[in-house]
Each structure stands twice: as structure tokens, then as C-alpha cells.
């Protein structure tokens, strides 16, 4: 009875700590956001301007859903949208994964929140709440792995301290990943519990149901989710290949993938991207390979050969199936993504504006030294490397034991010191290595990797089994290894926690106390002018980031959007950016009128851009693409008989004044009406 009470108290305190951690983090984000933007003291227009780029587009559709006379009508208008981009009808729900906005609008109206809270607070409140769930899921995952909720507390501490590298919530609230990753964290927590060897049938069933629900939801809210699940499936395949867990459990997870893919395909307007995804090809190959497996006695030479053949068969089948599916399933090939990867890895060279612009984005660069320095200063990276090395070497040791036919215990005790025999640990080791390998190439992927670095590091320092594994290798005899392992699993995280509290807690409090100022009067004036002076049928052209803000703040139609998954929109963006190139007024006029633009907005910040990485300014990239700069000849300017358009149009002389009439300007923006009747009188 006493043992049962202790177990219940441990679980209760752990659950309370997990939920409390999530709630505190959500409240912290809310308070920080208020301090950063003075959100409650601003007018609606000023609040909306804080949503930049693609974030503005997502929030604008949430507003459209609230304005719709009914939910059905709102969905119809979004799926047949011809009021956003000129000369283009788009299915915004499918193309931009607007399911979070649909659900948020339904909840806002169904709960009667319109009488209590403003729409914008409801929207960002949901996202902050999901971030709280994200942190709770990370807490639970580390707790399940280590057996102590102390590891969960340390995971949360590292996550919040390193939040510059663990989340982008502070920079852009409506991003798809901010909606999706909390569900993936829940799925990983459920998978961790599901893979545990000592789980009872009720716990196993609960983990399976939670894993199914979170996998499907994750796939619905983020268009790139199947790529992340593909990495997870590879991790499970390797786990199965090493025979470190019963194959039946892992194949049940494969069934969840298939169910989620096909259900997502149907409910995402027959999204062919899910059918041609590498995830489906891999899972089908794994299922076929299992059907073809022969019943061979384990441990024999033939069984070892069959393992190698099975591995080769799965790899070959995956590639073959993917090629065959793409031959028969109509789909839009992500040509720009493939070209980007070719150029990124030095397999090709290009002068294409879009490719070079993507390569210049900070999130697509290799990680900077500052990234590793921040992780080291918070002590996260050193402990992660220590834990990863111990777990990886223990895993290799277990694999060699199996190859040499050495019997393994069904239940591993603390005294055995074999952390590498636990399937949930090995899954996390493989998964974090895969994610880390990608994060070393593309910095933006660090937001997928770093949270699981926090989990693995916190689990390791709090796990007596890990310390015991290390002591077994060192053959420690002076002190009882089990006793020392138990002491270190409590002392080390306590010391880390105290040092983090002393160094970083004052900084967090200072951030909350410090009033930051977000002041952009020029953009406010521009939006006000558009709403008051521009005709309702006007179409605006300019940089994609500004067009997103115009769509949100005014509702006017634009020529392009800051979205990079659509080839047509990418081409539009490149063409509209020509206003910052050295091309004639007539060329620019033809481009703009081909998209039915009636107003052009020139941004001084882009036209006179300075300080960015050499060769990465928009005007530099345009000069390269248009042949006005030849990089191979020492960056010499080639002849162009036209000046830079954005400079020349401001001077207001012929022929520029014949095509464009300036109607508004301030310190940052110059607005020109595109003339329908052209006069060449001097």
C-alpha cells in the first residue's frame, strides 16, 4: 500500500509539474509579447502591422472567416479565392494549410468569445496555449525516458533559456510550425511511452490512440510534416533492423502513417503531395518487405544474411515505388526545391534570382558559430554530446552482442548498466542524429533539432542507468557504482538547475520588465492612405512581404504573396522585384500591367539596401540574374543603358513620368499610379 501511494504521489507531482511548466511558459510568452509590442495599447491597424510577411497572410484569412456570413460560405470563398492575387484563383485552404485558421474561427464563434475577447487575442492565445502544450510534451518525454520528473524540469529550463534556437514563436506567431510542432511533440511523447518494454496494455492503448490523433493532426496543419515523419520512420526502421524492439509494435506505427496519409489526402482536397511523399513509399516498402520475410531461426548465419538482404530490399523498394507512384499520380513537382538543393550542395551553379535569393536567407545558411556558442554557454551542448556518446556506444555494444549471438536479458536492471538495450532510448538517439545532421547544413532546421537536444541531455544527466553504463565501462571499484549513479543522477541536474537559475533567471525577468518599442509610423500612414484613397478595385504591386501586410490591413488585391511553395507565385515575385533592377520604364510597365496592377509601391529600404551580406541584396541578385553583373570578372558592372528603376522613377522625368504618376510618399514608401493612358508629351 505504501509503495502504491508513493507511485501515485510521484505521478501526481510529475503531472502537476508538467502542466504547470506549460502554463507558465504560455503566460511568459503572452507577457513578453505584450511588452515587446505594447499590444493592448495599440489600435487594430498597428496590431496587424506586427504580423509580417507570410504571417500576415495567415491571419488575414482568419479575419475573412470571421467576417463570412456562415462557416460554409467562408470555406467556399477560401477554396475558390480570387480576391487575393490578381488574375489567379487559388484554393487557399490547401495551398497555405489554413486548417488552424478554420478551427480558430469556429472556436471563436462557437464559444461566444466575441463578447469577451477580441479576435486577435483569441488567435494568439491559442498559439501560445499550444506552445504550453509543446513544453508539457517535451517534459513528459524526458520524464518517460529517465523515470524522474526532474529531467522534465531541466528539459523545460533548457528549452526556455535557449528559445532563440528552439522556437520562432517570438518572431512570427502564425507560422505553420508553431501550430504543428506541439502536435509532433505529443506524438513523440506517445511513441516514447509506446516503445517502452514494461508498459501495460492500458498504457499501450492510450499511447497508441494519442499517437494516432497527434500524427494525423500534425499532418493536417503543416505541409512539410510528412518529411519530418519520414525521418521518424527511418529511425523506427533502423530500430527494427537492430532487433531492439518487437517488430509488431513498430509495424503498428507504420499503419498509423498510412492511415494518416490517406485520410489527409482525402480531407486536403486530394493532396497528391502526400501520395508521392517518400514517407508513403518507405512505409509500403517496409510492409512488403515484412510479407516477404522468411521464418528463419534467429541467430543463425542465414538470419544475419537475411537482415542485410532485407535492408537492401527496403531501400530499393522505397526508391522504385516512389518513382512508379510519381509516374501514375498527377502532382506538382517541387522543381524549385530540387534546384535549391543542387545549388546548396554545390552540384550546380545558377544566376536565377529566386534560387540565389533563397540561398541568401539566413535560415537556409549553415549554422553560425554563435548558435553553438549559445548552446555551450547554457551547458546544453556539452551534456548533450556526453549523453549522445554514451548512448550511441552502448547501442553499438548491444548490436555487436546480437551479432555474436550473445543472449540479452529480457528485463534490464540498473546494475547491468546497459542503457543501449532500451528501445525508446535508441529511437531518440537515431532520431536526434538524423535531425542534427540536417541542422548542420540548414540553420532553419535547428528548430526541429534543438528541442530534442534538450530532451536527450536532460534525460541523460538524470538517468542512473546512463551513469551506471559509464561506470561499467570505467570498471569503478572504489565506490559502489549503483550508489554513485543514484547520487549523480540527483546531484548533477540539481547543480545544473541552480547554475541556470542564477545566471539566466534574472535575464528572463529583465526581458519581462523591459518595455520594448515597436514603432512603424510610415507603414501605418501607408495603410491608412490605401484604405482612404485607393479605389476598391485597385491592385497593388510591390515586395511580397509588403503585399502580405497590405492584404491583411486593407483587404485590397495584390500581385504577389510571400509564399515559396508555389512555382507561379515565385515567378511573380521575381518579376515584380524587377522594379529594383536596371531595366527600362517600358519593361517595368509591361510586367506590372500583365498582372493588372494599378498601383506600384517602391520601398526605400530595398532600393537603398545596405549592410547585408555581400551579393545578397535584392538589387545585386537582380543584376546577376539580368546579366548586369558578371561575378567571374571581378564583379565588374556590364553596360546597361538604363539606370536602376527605383531610383530613376523618383526623379519624375520622361519616360518614367509617362508611365507612372506619384500619388503618395513618405520616408519609407513611394506609391505610383500606373497610367492606363500613356502620354509622351514632354
Amino acid at each position: 500500500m505504501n509503495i502504491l501511494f508513493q507511485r501515485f504521489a510521484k505521478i501526481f507531482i510529475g503531472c502537476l509539474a508538467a502542466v504547470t511548466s506549460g502554463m507558465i511558459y504560455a503566460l511568459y510568452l503572452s507577457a513578453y509579447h505584450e511588452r515587446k509590442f505594447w499590444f493592448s495599447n495599440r489600435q487594430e491597424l498597428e496590431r496587424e502591422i506586427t504580423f509580417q510577411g507570410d504571417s500576415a497572410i495567415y491571419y488575414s484569412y482568419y479575419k475573412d472567416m470571421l467576417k463570412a456570413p456562415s462557416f460554409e460560405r467562408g470555406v467556399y470563398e477560401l477554396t475558390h479565392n480570387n480576391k487575393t492575387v490578381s488574375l489567379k484563383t487559388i484554393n487557399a485552404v490547401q495551398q497555405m494549410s489554413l486548417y488552424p485558421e478554420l478551427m480558430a474561427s469556429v472556436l471563436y464563434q462557437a464559444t461566444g468569445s466575441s463578447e469577451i475577447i477580441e479576435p486577435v487575442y483569441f488567435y494568439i492565445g491559442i498559439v501560445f496555449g499550444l506552445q504550453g502544450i509543446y513544453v508539457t510534451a517535451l517534459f513528459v518525454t524526458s520524464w518517460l525516458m529517465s523515470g524522474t520528473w526532474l529531467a522534465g524540469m531541466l528539459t523545460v529550463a533548457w528549452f526556455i533559456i535557449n528559445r532563440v534556437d528552439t522556437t520562432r514563436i517570438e518572431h512570427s506567431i502564425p507560422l505553420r510550425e508553431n501550430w504543428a510542432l506541439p502536435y509532433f511533440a505529443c506524438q513523440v511523447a506517445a511513441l516514447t511511452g509506446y516503445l517502452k518494454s514494461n508498459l501495460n496494455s492500458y498504457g499501450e492503448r492510450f499511447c497508441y490512440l494519442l499517437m494516432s490523433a497527434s500524427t494525423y493532426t500534425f499532418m493536417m496543419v503543416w505541409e512539410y510534416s510528412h518529411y519530418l515523419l519520414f525521418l521518424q520512420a527511418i529511425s523506427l526502421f533502423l530500430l527494427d533492423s537492430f532487433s531492439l524492439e518487437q517488430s509488431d509494435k513498430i509495424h503498428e506505427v507504420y499503419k498509423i502513417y498510412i492511415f494518416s496519409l490517406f485520410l489527409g489526402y482525402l480531407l486536403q482536397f486530394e493532396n497528391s503531395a502526400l501520395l508521392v511523399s517518400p514517407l508513403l513509399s518507405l512505409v509500403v516498402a517496409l510492409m512488403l518487405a515484412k510479407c516477404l520475410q522468411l521464418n528463419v531461426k534467429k541467430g543463425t548465419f542465414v538470419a544475419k544474411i537475411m537482415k542485410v538482404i532485407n535492408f537492401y530490399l527496403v531501400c530499393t523498394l522505397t526508391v522504385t515505388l516512389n518513382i512508379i507512384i510519381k509516374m501514375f499520380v498527377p502532382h506538382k513537382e517541387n522543381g524549385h526545391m530540387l534546384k535549391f538543393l543542387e545549388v546548396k550542395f554545390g552540384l550546380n551553379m545558377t544566376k536565377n534570382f529566386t534560387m540565389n535569393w533563397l540561398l541568401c536567407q539566413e535560415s537556409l545558411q549553415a549554422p553560425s558559430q554563435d548558435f553553438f556558442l549559445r548552446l555551450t554557454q547554457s551547458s546544453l551542448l556539452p551534456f548533450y554530446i556526453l549523453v549522445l556518446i554514451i548512448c550511441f556506444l552502448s547501442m553499438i555494444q548491444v548490436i555487436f552482442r546480437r551479432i555474436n549471438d550473445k543472449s540479452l536479458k529480457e528485463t534490464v536492471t540498473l546494475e547491468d548498466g546497459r542503457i543501449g538495450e532500451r528501445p525508446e532510448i535508441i529511437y531518440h538517439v537515431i532520431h536526434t542524429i538524423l535531425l542534427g545532421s540536417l541542422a548542420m547544413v540548414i540553420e532553419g532546421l535547428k528548430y526541429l533539432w534543438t528541442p530534442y537536444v534538450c530532451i536527450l541531455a536532460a534525460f541523460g544527466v538524470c538517468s542512473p542507468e546512463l551513469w551506471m553504463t559509464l561506470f561499467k565501462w570505467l570498471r569503478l571499484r572504489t565506490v559502489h557504482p549503483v550508489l554513485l549513479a543514484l547520487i549523480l543522477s540527483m546531484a548533477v541536474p540539481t547543480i545544473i538547475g541552480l547554475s541556470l537559475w542564477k545566471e539566466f533567471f534574472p535575464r528572463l525577468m529583465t526581458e519581462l520588465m523591459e518595455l520594448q518599442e515597436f514603432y512603424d509610423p510610415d507603414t501605418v500612414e501607408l495603410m491608412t492612405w490605401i484604405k482612404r484613397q485607393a479605389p476598391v478595385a485597385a491592385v497593388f504591386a510591390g515586395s511580397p512581404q509588403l503585399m502580405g501586410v497590405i492584404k491583411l490591413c486593407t483587404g485590397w488585391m495584390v500581385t504577389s504573396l510571400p509564399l515559396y511553395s508555389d512555382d507561379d507565385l515565385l515567378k511573380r515575385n521575381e518579376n515584380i522585384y524587377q522594379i529594383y533592377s536596371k531595366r527600362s520604364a517600358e519593361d517595368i510597365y509591361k510586367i506590372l500591367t500583365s498582372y493588372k496592377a494599378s498601383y506600384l509601391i517602391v520601398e526605400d529600404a530595398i532600393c537603398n539596401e545596405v549592410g547585408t551580406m555581400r551579393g545578397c541584396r535584392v538589387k545585386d541578385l537582380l543584376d546577376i540574374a539580368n546579366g548586369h553583373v558578371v561575378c567571374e570578372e571581378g564583379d565588374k558592372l556590364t553596360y546597361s543603358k538604363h539606370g536602376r528603376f527605383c531610383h530613376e522613377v523618383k526623379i519624375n522625368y520622361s519616360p518614367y513620368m509617362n508611365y507612372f504618376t506619384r500619388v503618395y510618399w513618405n520616408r519609407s514608401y513611394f506609391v505610383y499610379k500606373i497610367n492606363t493612358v500613356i502620354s509622351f508629351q514632354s
Side-chain angles (χ1 to χ4, degrees), residues 394-464:
S394 181
M395 180 184 77
I396 298 299
Q397 188 179 41
V398 171
I399 292 170
F400 275 109
R401 283 176 179 272
R402 289 187 179 275
I403 291 174
N404 296 327
D405 300 332
K406 291 184 179 180
S407 59
L408 300 176
K409 291 185 177 181
E410 292 185 6
T411 56
V412 181
T413 61
L414 177 60
E415 290 81 1
D416 295 324
R418 295 180 186 174
I419 195 75
E421 289 191 21
R422 290 176 53 189
E424 72 274 18
I425 304 304
I426 303 311
Y427 157 73
H428 277 279
V429 169
I430 298 171
H431 198 198
T432 193
I433 289 174
L434 291 176
L435 289 174
S437 302
L438 294 175
M440 294 304 103
V441 179
I442 299 176
E443 185 173 8
L445 297 178
K446 70 182 180 181
Y447 300 107
L448 304 177
W449 177 59
T450 315
Y452 296 96
V453 170
C454 299
I455 288 176
L456 199 70
F459 137 75
V461 297
C462 296
S463 173

Side-chain angles (χ1 to χ4, degrees), residues 490-501:
M490 294 292 290
V492 173
T494 302
I495 294 169
I496 295 172
L498 290 173
S499 65
L500 293 177
W501 178 277

Side-chain angles (χ1 to χ4, degrees), residues 653-669:
Y653 68 93
S654 182
Y656 296 92
M657 64 184 296
N658 304 124
Y659 292 104
F660 307 97
T661 303
R662 188 164 64 190
V663 292
Y664 173 81
W665 71 93
N666 60 30
R667 290 175 301 176
S668 302
Y669 304 102

Side-chain angles (χ1 to χ4, degrees), residues 138-159 378-388 391 425 450-464 466-467 488-490 492-494 496-497 500:
L138 297 177
F139 182 110
V140 171
T141 304
S142 189
W143 181 15
L144 287 170
M145 292 168 66
S146 63
T148 171
W149 52 264
L150 191 62
M153 297 291 287
L154 188 55
T155 300
V156 173
W158 267 327
F159 180 89
S378 65
S379 72
L380 174 59
L381 190 60
F383 282 108
Y384 166 74
I385 293 173
L386 172 66
V387 173
L388 183 64
C391 290
I425 304 304
T450 315
Y452 296 96
V453 170
C454 299
I455 288 176
L456 199 70
F459 137 75
V461 297
C462 296
S463 173
L466 183 125
W467 294 111
L488 286 178
S489 65
M490 294 292 290
V492 173
T494 302
I496 295 172
L500 293 177

Side-chain angles (χ1 to χ4, degrees), residues 30-131:
S30 179
Y32 181 79
H33 182 262
E34 172 64 27
R35 288 284 179 173
K36 184 177 181 180
F37 295 111
W38 296 18
F39 215 65
S40 60
N41 296 321
R42 295 189 177 275
Q43 300 296 322
E44 183 180 7
L45 178 60
E46 293 175 312
R47 290 175 182 173
E48 290 177 349
I49 287 174
T50 63
F51 295 100
Q52 297 289 320
D54 52 350
S55 297
I57 296 297
Y58 296 129
Y59 183 71
S60 72
Y61 286 124
Y62 167 70
K63 278 181 60 180
D64 291 344
M65 282 298 299
L66 295 180
K67 292 176 183 176
S70 66
F71 177 76
E72 293 79 8
R73 183 62 190 174
V75 172
Y76 178 82
E77 289 179 355
L78 291 186
T79 53
H80 302 78
N81 188 282
N82 58 2
K83 297 179 181 179
T84 299
V85 183
S86 61
L87 301 179
K88 189 176 177 68
T89 299
I90 59 175
N91 183 341
V93 177
Q94 179 187 15
Q95 195 162 341
M96 303 177 199
S97 299
L98 295 180
Y99 297 95
E101 281 68 32
L102 297 183
M103 290 305 301
S105 63
V106 169
L107 288 173
Y108 183 73
Q109 293 171 332
T111 56
S113 300
S114 56
E115 300 175 0
I116 306 170
I117 189 172
E118 295 177 59
V120 65
Y121 280 108
F122 186 83
Y123 184 84
I124 64 176
I126 291 177
V127 183
F128 290 156
L130 282 173
Q131 297 306 301

Side-chain angles (χ1 to χ4, degrees), residues 154-175:
L154 188 55
T155 300
V156 173
W158 267 327
F159 180 89
I160 296 175
I161 288 167
N162 294 284
R163 70 188 187 285
V164 174
D165 302 305
T166 56
T167 177
R168 288 198 288 182
I169 186 68
E170 293 177 11
H171 305 292
S172 189
I173 294 173
L175 280 180

